[in-house]
């Protein structure tokens, strides 16, 4: 790998956490493909897998002592694509594309951009400031599913965009790898299992 890194310097950062982050990006691309093809179910599966990758890459980086500026940068880039840009495809999937939804979507994307930029230059080692973008994305996905499958009004997604956007910019602190992440993970798993049951029945 060292000989290869001499020709391709970026590959000097090749390690397990960065590979997991990259796999998450591949799942995000697959989710885009399925959403454009109007296959919402397959897109949800890919997004769930991307979320798992985002959850475990940081854990492995901490446990293996492989945290780096490169890892933080690539993780933020993948988060921006999956958690900030992906909602554009979700909104496109919904037929009733209202002006309020468009404004909420723009606000959400701008808030996500600023949240990630702030994280890259100011974040402490053991805390998050504001709601991390994967948590915001999970709220968006669940709300979208509720609109499509449970008949929720479209404006609820606009509200979700505004609320999660504000939470991403708030100054409250969350500990990294704390109980709140376990709770979010359990909610995500429960939602995914319910989603699969409804999909397969």
């Amino acid at each position: 790998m060292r000989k290869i890194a001499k020709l391709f310097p970026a590959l000097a950062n090749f390690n397990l956490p960065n590979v997991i982050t990259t796999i998450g990006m591949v799942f995000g691309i697959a989710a885009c493909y399925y959403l454009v093809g109007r296959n919402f179910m397959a897109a949800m599966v890919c997004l769930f897998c991307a979320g798992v990758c985002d959850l475990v890459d940081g854990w492995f980086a901490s446990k293996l002592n492989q945290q780096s500026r490169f890892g933080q940068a690539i993780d933020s880039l993948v988060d921006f694509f999956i958690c900030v840009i992906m909602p554009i495809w979700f909104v496109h999937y919904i037929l009733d594309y209202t002006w309020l939804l468009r404004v909420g979507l723009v606000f959400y994307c701008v808030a996500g951009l600023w949240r990630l930029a702030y994280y890259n230059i100011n974040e402490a080692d053991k805390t998050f400031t504001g709601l991390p973008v994967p948590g915001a994305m999970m709220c968006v996905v669940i709300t979208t599913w509720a609109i499509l499958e449970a008949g929720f009004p479209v404006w609820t997604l606009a509200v979700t965009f505004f609320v999660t956007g504000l939470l991403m910019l708030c100054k409250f602190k969350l500990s990294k790898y704390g109980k709140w992440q376990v709770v979010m993970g359990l909610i995500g798993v429960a939602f995914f299992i319910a989603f699969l049951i409804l999909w397969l029945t």
Side-chain angles (χ1 to χ4, degrees):
M1 180 57 68
R2 291 182 179 179
K3 293 181 179 180
I4 296 176
K6 289 181 179 180
L7 294 174
F8 306 98
L11 296 182
N13 298 282
F14 185 89
N15 57 35
L16 180 60
N18 292 338
V19 169
I20 294 174
T21 303
T22 304
I23 293 173
M25 176 70 173
V26 173
F27 277 120
I29 294 171
C32 286
Y33 171 81
Y34 286 119
L35 276 176
V36 171
R38 311 290 290 179
N39 190 338
F40 184 69
M41 305 301 185
M44 288 288 292
V45 173
C46 290
L47 274 181
F48 179 80
C49 293
V52 170
C53 291
D54 184 71
L55 182 65
V56 302
D57 60 358
W59 184 85
F60 275 109
S62 177
K63 293 299 181 181
L64 298 175
N65 195 26
Q66 293 180 337
Q67 296 169 314
S68 65
R69 293 287 299 275
F70 180 90
Q72 182 176 335
I74 192 174
D75 184 68
S76 290
L77 289 170
V78 174
D79 280 350
F80 183 75
F81 174 71
I82 294 176
C83 303
V84 180
I85 299 300
M86 281 297 296
I88 296 174
W89 274 269
F90 277 102
V91 171
H92 177 71
Y93 193 91
I94 298 174
L95 297 178
D96 189 7
Y97 197 8
T98 66
W99 68 269
L100 183 61
L101 197 57
R102 295 179 184 182
V103 174
L105 174 62
V106 171
F107 177 75
Y108 173 90
C109 290
V110 171
L113 174 67
W114 281 63
R115 166 71 180 85
L116 288 169
Y118 182 86
Y119 170 81
N120 281 340
I121 64 174
N122 291 301
E123 204 70 21
D125 291 337
K126 297 183 179 180
T127 60
F128 291 113
T129 301
L131 178 67
V133 290
M137 180 60 181
M138 187 175 74
C139 295
V140 170
V141 171
I142 292 176
T143 305
T144 304
W145 176 85
I147 292 171
L148 295 175
E149 302 297 328
F152 279 41
V154 175
W155 60 261
T156 56
L157 182 56
V159 172
T160 301
F161 280 140
F162 284 116
V163 172
T164 53
L166 289 173
L167 290 176
M168 284 190 285
L169 297 176
C170 281
K171 67 176 183 178
F172 66 85
K173 301 287 186 179
L174 291 171
S175 61
K176 292 184 178 179
Y177 316 118
K179 293 182 179 179
W180 71 273
Q181 284 186 311
V182 175
V183 172
M184 285 185 60
L186 291 175
I187 293 174
V189 171
F191 169 73
F192 185 68
I193 292 174
F195 171 80
L196 287 180
I197 292 174
L198 291 174
W199 183 19
L200 297 174
T201 57

